[in-house]
């Protein structure tokens, strides 16, 4: 859904969207596995910057819920995440803050994003919020043993014999010395 400045100039925009998986491209590592539900409203905030300069900000207030599949950082198995958050965001026209007059009023209160041109896509806002809601590094289970770094066996479900012969570089250095001495 495109949120148009022109529409917001007339009235607030209420939204209540259900986006099926695939609507938003989350890249290769993340998969949306349930409908993404989002509702809220978008409105125009007119920032008076002195004189006749008025900046038209878009404020988007709402919430979302969905499920995102990621992968365990240790064993790479899929991990399902239920994510649901509320948000209250302000977007300014791109370029408006680039003149060094950092004296804008709300700077400290809200995290400011930027939009370009006629408006912005609700989908972009949701994508960003979902990415922020997901943990940076995820494990399937705190006790996950991960993959064997040598043969790739998933050590949660199987075992291998690599551990016994695992080479520690310090030991192999000693081993080299021992071999030399034996000659
Ligand atoms: Zn794991
Ligand atoms: Zn192994």
């Amino acid at each position: 859904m495109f949120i148009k400045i022109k529409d917001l100039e007339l009235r607030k925009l209420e939204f209540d969207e259900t986006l099926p998986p695939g609507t938003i491209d989350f890249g290769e590592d993340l998969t949306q596995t349930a409908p993404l539900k989002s509702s809220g409203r978008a409105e125009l905030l007119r920032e008076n910057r002195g004189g006749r300069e008025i900046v038209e900000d878009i404020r988007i207030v709402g919430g979302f819920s969905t499920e995102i599949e990621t992968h365990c950082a240790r064993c790479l198995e899929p991990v399902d995440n239920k994510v649901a958050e509320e948000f209250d965001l302000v977007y300014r026209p791109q370029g408006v803050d680039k003149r060094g007059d950092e004296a804008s009023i709300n700077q400290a209160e809200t995290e400011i994003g930027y939009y370009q041109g006629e408006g912005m896509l609700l989908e972009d806002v949701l994508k960003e919020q979902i990415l922020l809601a997901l943990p940076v590094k995820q494990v399937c289970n705190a006790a996950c043993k991960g993959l064997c770094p040598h043969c790739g066996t998933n050590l949660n479900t199987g075992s291998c014999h690599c551990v016994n012969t695992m080479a520690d570089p310090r030991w192999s250095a000693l081993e080299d010395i021992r071999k030399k001495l034996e000659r």
Side-chain angles (χ1 to χ4, degrees):
M1 191 187 86
F2 193 75
I3 300 167
K4 255 188 187 167
I5 281 288
K6 281 265 177 297
D7 294 341
L8 297 183
E9 281 171 353
L10 302 174
R11 67 183 71 87
K12 277 182 194 173
L13 179 75
E14 306 272 346
F15 58 87
D16 189 356
E17 300 273 297
T18 301
L19 307 176
T23 313
I24 297 178
D25 180 9
F26 286 101
E28 281 176 19
D29 297 335
L30 305 180
T31 313
Q32 183 188 329
T33 52
L36 164 56
K37 291 184 181 157
S38 179
S39 62
R41 64 173 203 274
E43 63 190 341
L44 203 65
L45 289 184
R46 287 199 170 83
E47 248 188 275
N48 196 323
R49 294 215 168 171
R52 257 177 286 164
E53 193 192 3
I54 289 173
V55 173
E56 291 189 315
D57 297 340
I58 301 175
R59 182 183 183 202
I60 304 178
V61 184
F64 68 85
S65 67
T66 187
E67 287 175 39
I68 303 285
E69 186 184 278
T70 58
H71 294 274
C72 172
R74 294 185 202 152
C75 71
L76 310 180
E77 288 297 311
V79 183
D80 204 27
N81 299 273
K82 285 187 166 55
V83 282
E85 294 286 342
E86 308 272 297
F87 52 80
D88 184 347
L89 306 160
V90 174
Y91 293 86
R92 279 201 182 124
Q94 186 102 53
V96 83
D97 284 333
K98 282 184 183 161
R99 286 160 297 164
D101 54 346
E102 297 291 287
S104 47
I105 336 141
N106 301 317
Q107 203 95 50
E109 293 168 24
T110 338
E111 256 183 76
I112 303 282
Y114 294 91
Y115 70 89
Q116 270 178 304
E118 309 286 291
M120 58 194 302
L121 275 172
L122 178 65
E123 286 79 357
D124 289 343
V125 174
L126 294 175
K127 180 179 176 177
E128 193 182 13
Q129 293 305 306
I130 289 167
L131 294 178
L132 286 171
L134 290 169
V136 178
K137 199 173 183 186
Q138 196 146 38
V139 288
C140 59
N141 181 316
C144 174
K145 294 178 190 141
L147 302 178
C148 167
H150 301 281
C151 69
T153 297
N154 184 340
L155 300 174
N156 299 309
T157 53
S159 60
C160 63
H161 301 288
C162 300
V163 186
N164 298 327
T165 57
M166 211 196 306
D168 182 317
R170 286 168 301 176
W171 292 117
S172 67
L174 286 176
E175 185 74 2
D176 288 346
I177 294 168
R178 194 173 63 85
K179 274 181 191 155
K180 276 174 197 157
L181 291 173
E182 277 174 1
R183 267 185 220 142

